[in-house]
Amino acid sequence: MNFFERRDGDLWAEDVRLADIAAAVGTPCYVYSAATLERHYRVFIEAFAPQPVFVAFAVKANSNLAVLATLARLGCGADTVSIGEIARALKAGVPASRIVFSGVGKTDAELAEAVRLGLHQINVESPAELDLLGQVASRLGARPSIAIRVNPDVGAGGHAKISTGGREAKFGVGPAEALALYARASAHPNLAPKGLAVHIGSQIKSLAPLEAAFGVMSGLVETLRAQGHAVERLDLGGGLGVPYFNEPEPPPPSDYAAMVKRVTAGLDVALEFEPGRLIAANAGVLLSTVVRLQDRPDRRIVVVDAAMNDLIRPAMYDAFHDIQPLSGPAGAQMTPADVVGPVCETGDTFTRDRPLPPLAPGDRVAFMTAGAYGAVMSSTYNTRPLVPEVLVRGDRFEVVRRRVEVDELMALETIPDWAR
Ligand code: LLP
């Protein structure tokens, strides 16, 4: 459930009319609902109650400091994949003791910083990374807490590009190798293996692959214990899908939690999760204005001021984002339209043949479910500067990332004398 709703023909975010934000801030801009972020976090936690679970929000889904701070206030941790994300999490008020560091390409410098900070957990993805981390930790005289990322050979997700658990994916080590790595880590004086981690993909709409993967993980915990190792934690990643409109609803967190409890029953292990999309996707929208209509005899084409550089998901994953006018009477006649941005690529098409109400230049629309993997994936392609982000709470709103100016982009660049 989220706090974007239509009242008397207008679309609202909590108690703020989105048209008022568009008028005050300009478009394109992202708008996030604090109450929705909080609700999604709480629903997830409460699905497991009374069992306490540790939730580390996947910062890659939405790394805005105000969004992270909203979640940090509730005690939410952070799942990070770069020193930059770690810096953001710390700045937003997530203590190092609630930060997880994942990813296949952590560098020596990144691992050293993570060790120095004393993060909650470093998820190790390969034997080579384990060796490097062991060296780094010895050099620093530290003993970081680690988990071994397992590739259970169960892939899943809304698109091939976001499936991570199959054997051919670059992530983690197979089950047999995970056992060997755990033993190697246990024998290392400067490594403290705490558990295992898994993440098989994103926008997963069925519990079956998750259950299969978690079953593998439970078996590994038992095997490790039988071999004499302590296993305190099981990090089950993120991946649970969200409704993007007109598609079968993914299972709710309550069903997911019931499945997890069943699969991990009796294990007596601390459960950890890394949801991103589930918390942020339906907590954000991208506002845009119709620039012009480029109608053809056989096709209705609506050109808007947002483009693939602002929201790349349709171009990259053929993702579906519902498009809602910010204002307008209910029951308007719907006719098929293409909605496109100004970027010079055919890929800059948000949708084709989508039934939409009448739209005229100056009308405003919202791309829904854009709070996860929206602003974070934006670029300045076509020298289109990053757009503002706005956070709403109740009847208040504030710009939490200002619009970047073209001059600021160019200020990063120089022309050598010999290039003139
Ligand atoms: N943990 C790890 C190790 C991950 O790689 C990811 C996402 C997550 C947690 C969070 O997954 P979530 O709960 O959000 O599904 N840009 C793509 C999604 C990429 C997901 C990458 N990894 C998109 O726009 O659909």
Side-chain angles (χ1 to χ4, degrees):
M1 208 212 89
N2 62 71
F3 293 90
F4 293 92
E5 63 171 12
R6 199 165 281 284
R7 294 184 207 154
D8 297 332
D10 288 332
L11 197 57
W12 293 65
E14 303 187 25
D15 295 321
V16 182
R17 201 183 277 113
L18 284 171
D20 292 342
I21 296 179
V25 176
T27 61
C29 75
Y30 278 94
V31 180
Y32 308 125
S33 153
T36 308
L37 290 165
E38 291 171 348
R39 184 188 153 83
H40 289 167
Y41 173 72
R42 290 204 173 104
V43 164
F44 193 87
I45 291 278
E46 283 161 15
F48 289 91
Q51 186 175 354
V53 294
F54 171 55
V55 173
F57 173 62
V59 173
K60 62 170 79 71
N62 189 321
S63 60
N64 185 283
L65 291 174
V67 167
L68 300 182
T70 299
L71 294 168
R73 265 186 2 154
L74 305 183
C76 186
D79 169 48
T80 61
V81 292
S82 69
I83 279 300
E85 285 191 352
I86 292 171
R88 282 179 175 278
L90 291 170
K91 186 159 183 173
V94 184
S97 61
R98 298 187 75 77
I99 296 178
V100 177
F101 190 21
S102 315
V104 294
K106 305 179 201 81
T107 63
D108 187 318
E110 285 184 311
L111 287 171
E113 182 64 9
V115 170
R116 248 183 249 116
L117 286 167
L119 300 186
H120 171 71
Q121 181 172 301
I122 300 176
N123 289 352
V124 173
E125 303 245 6
S126 63
E129 184 187 346
L130 188 82
D131 290 344
L132 177 60
L133 181 57
Q135 288 162 21
V136 168
S138 309
R139 196 168 78 214
L140 296 173
R143 193 160 172 266
S145 296
I146 67 164
I148 303 295
R149 165 103 178 243
V150 179
N151 182 329
D153 196 17
V154 183
H159 190 280
K161 288 182 188 165
I162 56 175
S163 172
T164 50
R167 194 191 304 264
E168 68 292 345
K170 65 182 173 180
F171 301 95
V173 294
E177 192 162 20
L179 297 174
L181 265 199
Y182 206 90
R184 206 151 112 198
S186 299
H188 196 293
N190 292 92
L191 295 174
K194 298 282 184 188
L196 301 173
V198 69
H199 171 82
I200 62 169
S202 194
Q203 185 55 12
I204 300 172
K205 291 193 286 186
S206 150
L207 292 181
L210 290 164
E211 181 158 359
F214 298 169
V216 172
M217 301 303 287
S218 295
L220 286 174
V221 170
E222 282 168 345
T223 307
L224 282 170
R225 285 179 174 163
Q227 292 174 351
H229 299 291
V231 185
E232 298 164 31
R233 305 175 186 165
L234 197 47
D235 175 347
L236 297 178
L240 191 56
V242 303
Y244 278 83
F245 196 62
N246 83 356
E247 56 185 0
E249 293 248 332
S254 52
D255 290 4
Y256 173 83
M259 176 275 284
V260 170
K261 285 183 176 184
R262 193 171 63 245
V263 178
T264 59
L267 270 191
D268 189 24
V269 77
L271 294 180
E272 308 184 338
F273 299 91
E274 305 167 349
R277 193 188 311 264
L278 189 73
I279 289 177
N282 274 309
V285 299
L286 171 65
L287 305 187
S288 183
T289 304
V290 175
V291 176
R292 77 176 48 86
L293 306 180
Q294 189 160 318
D295 287 350
R296 307 242 177 87
D298 59 335
R299 206 156 258 290
R300 181 181 166 214
I301 302 178
V302 180
V303 187
V304 297
D305 65 355
M308 64 190 285
N309 72 297
D310 304 310
L311 177 63
I312 203 171
R313 302 193 67 259
M316 194 150 171
Y317 314 111
D318 297 315
F320 180 103
H321 285 266
D322 189 19
I323 302 173
Q324 295 267 345
L326 295 199
S327 311
Q333 167 95 31
M334 308 285 253
T335 54
D338 295 356
V339 178
V340 306
V343 162
C344 299
E345 291 198 25
T346 306
D348 188 22
T349 298
F350 290 110
T351 188
R352 283 171 69 81
D353 293 324
R354 175 91 56 93
L356 286 171
L359 288 167
D363 284 354
R364 293 195 154 118
V365 296
F367 291 89
M368 309 303 289
T369 320
Y373 307 109
V376 283
M377 294 184 78
S378 55
S379 76
T380 58
Y381 187 37
N382 278 209
T383 305
R384 294 171 45 88
L386 300 182
V387 304
E389 294 174 271
V390 172
L391 185 67
V392 172
R393 176 182 288 285
D395 59 4
R396 279 181 297 171
F397 72 89
E398 189 155 329
V399 175
V400 292
R401 183 179 75 190
R402 68 169 176 80
R403 191 178 295 283
V404 176
E405 302 297 335
V406 170
D407 279 348
E408 292 175 89
L409 293 185
M410 292 194 293
L412 300 172
E413 301 168 26
T414 51
I415 307 176
D417 285 346
W418 44 262
R420 284 183 187 275

